[in-house]
Amino acid sequence: MLISTSILSIKDNLNEKIEKLNKSNTDYIHLDIMDNIFVPNYSDFSNITNMTKLLDVHLMVEDVYKYIDIYSKLNPIYITFHYEINENKNNVINYIKNKNIKIGLSIKPNTKIKEIIPYLDKIDLVLIMSVEPGYGGQKFIESSFEKIEQLNEIRKNKKYNFVIEVDGGINEKISAKLKNEVDILVAGTFITNEIDFDKQIALLKGNT
Ligand code: DX5
Ligand code: ZN
């Protein structure tokens, strides 16, 4: 299982903490992009130049094309957008694909897995939100376990090759339960609120 560290909750010394993350065992840096329209919060990491880890961009925005153009310039491995936006999903999928970036599709806690079935053969990653998007530091929503199980069943039966990523409220207890269920775990405050990032990452990977 890979770890993607969200930097959303870093409140001070951002560049110094990114340098620390670059030297840490995190597999990806997770950039939470918010437009204060799709979610009641705003964030912008487009001018950060010192990230050397693979970038996992999570767009919580309505005008998705604008932000795909902005963040594709950082050469991320993934750009993930939300199913709930008012855009034709296939057009957005093709737009990201044409930039040679892997495509992620995210669903909010109240969105059912069945809604994204039509897209599963076209995308590289499904991001299951285990908190209501907008803020770090929230509590994991327990009903996410059932959605993860359901998605795993679908993936097994249909031989899809998307990866499963879960994001929000992740701590050591939750990661132990998800160890064999998901491919990537996003964690923000569990890692960046502490001094020793590698210690927190090892706790999540279960190899302490
Ligand atoms: C919330 C973001 C998450 C969040 C994770 O909208 O998508 O990535 O920053 O932070 P924690 O791990 O603190 O819940
Ligand atoms: Zn996120």
Side-chain angles (χ1 to χ4, degrees), residues 6 8-9 30 32 34 58 60 129 131-138 167-170 186-190:
S6 164
L8 182 68
S9 298
H30 183 85
D32 286 309
M34 304 178 181
H58 176 195
M60 288 160 275
M129 289 305 296
V131 295
E132 202 55 42
Y135 297 90
Q138 300 179 72
D167 181 6
I170 299 297
V186 178
T189 49
F190 184 78

Side-chain angles (χ1 to χ4, degrees), residues 5-6 8-11 17 20 136-137 187-197 200:
T5 303
S6 164
L8 182 68
S9 298
I10 295 177
K11 293 290 168 256
K17 290 182 179 170
K20 205 161 97 175
T189 49
F190 184 78
I191 297 169
T192 61
N193 277 7
E194 305 301 328
I195 301 291
D196 186 342
F197 290 175
Q200 298 306 101

Side-chain angles (χ1 to χ4, degrees), residues 84-121:
E84 297 88 358
I85 62 172
N86 304 318
E87 291 288 351
N88 176 300
K89 317 301 170 228
N90 288 315
N91 292 349
V92 181
I93 286 168
N94 291 330
Y95 193 75
I96 299 172
K97 194 179 206 118
N98 290 338
K99 293 194 180 271
N100 295 317
I101 295 170
K102 286 178 188 275
I103 307 146
L105 184 58
S106 184
I107 49 174
K108 291 162 72 171
N110 292 340
T111 302
K112 301 237 174 306
I113 293 285
K114 68 175 178 10
E115 304 297 341
I116 58 169
I117 289 178
Y119 311 103
L120 293 179
D121 60 340

Side-chain angles (χ1 to χ4, degrees), residues 52-70:
T52 58
K53 288 281 180 179
L54 290 174
L55 300 178
D56 169 31
V57 173
H58 176 195
L59 297 180
M60 288 160 275
V61 301
E62 199 51 58
D63 181 355
V64 72
Y65 292 104
K66 171 183 159 194
Y67 288 90
I68 291 167
D69 287 346
I70 294 170

Side-chain angles (χ1 to χ4, degrees), residues 11-103:
K11 293 290 168 256
D12 52 18
N13 307 321
L14 181 59
N15 278 334
E16 180 199 313
K17 290 182 179 170
I18 285 176
E19 291 300 345
K20 205 161 97 175
L21 264 182
N22 288 338
K23 297 186 191 88
S24 79
N25 296 323
T26 192
D27 299 285
Y28 301 135
I29 290 179
H30 183 85
L31 300 183
D32 286 309
I33 311 306
M34 304 178 181
D35 61 359
N36 204 26
I37 300 169
F38 182 73
V39 291
N41 196 359
Y42 181 81
S43 62
D44 172 8
F45 297 113
S46 56
N47 56 2
I48 300 185
T49 55
N50 65 330
M51 294 179 283
T52 58
K53 288 281 180 179
L54 290 174
L55 300 178
D56 169 31
V57 173
H58 176 195
L59 297 180
M60 288 160 275
V61 301
E62 199 51 58
D63 181 355
V64 72
Y65 292 104
K66 171 183 159 194
Y67 288 90
I68 291 167
D69 287 346
I70 294 170
Y71 284 90
S72 53
K73 292 187 176 62
L74 296 183
N75 296 313
I77 177 169
Y78 292 106
I79 290 186
T80 296
F81 69 100
H82 266 266
Y83 164 80
E84 297 88 358
I85 62 172
N86 304 318
E87 291 288 351
N88 176 300
K89 317 301 170 228
N90 288 315
N91 292 349
V92 181
I93 286 168
N94 291 330
Y95 193 75
I96 299 172
K97 194 179 206 118
N98 290 338
K99 293 194 180 271
N100 295 317
I101 295 170
K102 286 178 188 275
I103 307 146

